Amino acid sequence: MTLGQVWGLWRTLRTRKTTIRQWQVLRVGSDRVHARRLRDFLHDCAGSAACEEIDRIREALHLLSGSGVDGAVPLDRVRINAMLDCGAGMSAVLEIIGPDMPFMLSRGGHDTCLATVVPPGGSEEAIAEGSTLALAMLAGHVAAVLAKGERGAHAADVPLASASIRLH
């Protein structure tokens, strides 16, 4: 959500004297929209050409709201943008995912790259593909963020069928 959207929502809620339950319903709706945007981004990563790598990384910075997978540590946007300006896409993606994220990369024929990302404390792995190693890694990271969000959205007693997102 942008600052303007938050401000508009706050004004609306205040004038209507909205209850906490109504606020939670509105928040869940915005979380669903954000999750849909992240899923669309995963498909964009899988379908992007190598020349679109930098644009996808900048888009991911916007979608991830400038924070890492845990949401607590802000990303160094100046440093990441400097890397992107120099064409260092993979370095920028590694900066986005952080030093504690376990991952595995592989490159096959026909310009297909796969990334497997395991979020900290997560038992599910996120597997994604892209035309470059950086795009695959970025998609894997976004898939891990989505999986974490889906786990958090469900109650602890409701089992998820599969939290990993596989794009093939």
Side-chain angles (χ1 to χ4, degrees):
M1 271 185 160
T2 65
L3 184 59
Q5 291 171 328
V6 171
W7 177 251
L9 183 60
W10 181 81
R11 281 193 333 221
T12 302
L13 294 175
R14 184 170 177 192
T15 58
R16 293 184 184 170
K17 299 191 186 288
T18 306
T19 65
I20 291 175
R21 175 68 182 139
Q22 290 169 324
W23 170 260
Q24 290 170 340
V25 169
L26 288 172
R27 178 68 184 145
V28 167
S30 66
D31 287 345
R32 288 182 185 150
V33 169
H34 185 67
R36 189 175 323 124
R37 287 182 185 152
L38 289 175
R39 282 190 195 93
D40 290 343
F41 177 78
L42 287 176
H43 292 289
D44 290 345
C45 276
S48 293
C51 63
E52 298 172 308
E53 179 181 87
I54 301 297
D55 294 333
R56 290 291 87 74
I57 297 169
R58 289 187 197 279
E59 186 179 347
L61 276 175
H62 176 69
L63 286 173
L64 295 173
S65 303
S67 61
V69 72
D70 60 356
V73 180
L75 296 174
D76 187 352
R77 294 168 90 50
V78 173
R79 183 175 174 170
I80 294 170
N81 282 322
M83 291 176 192
L84 295 175
D85 291 341
C86 295
M90 190 63 187
S91 296
V93 171
L94 289 171
E95 182 72 22
I96 290 170
I97 68 166
D100 298 329
M101 182 80 72
F103 64 88
M104 181 175 63
L105 292 172
S106 63
R107 182 174 59 195
H110 307 292
D111 295 328
T112 301
C113 300
L114 292 176
T116 304
V117 178
V118 181
S123 61
E124 290 287 327
E125 59 188 26
I127 300 174
E129 73 178 59
S131 59
T132 66
L133 291 172
L135 284 173
M137 180 69 106
L138 183 62
H141 176 68
V142 170
V145 169
L146 260 173
K148 182 179 183 209
E150 288 175 357
R151 276 193 310 272
H154 295 283
D157 58 347
V158 178
L160 291 175
S162 174
S164 69
I165 298 170
R166 299 173 193 262
L167 295 174
H168 298 290

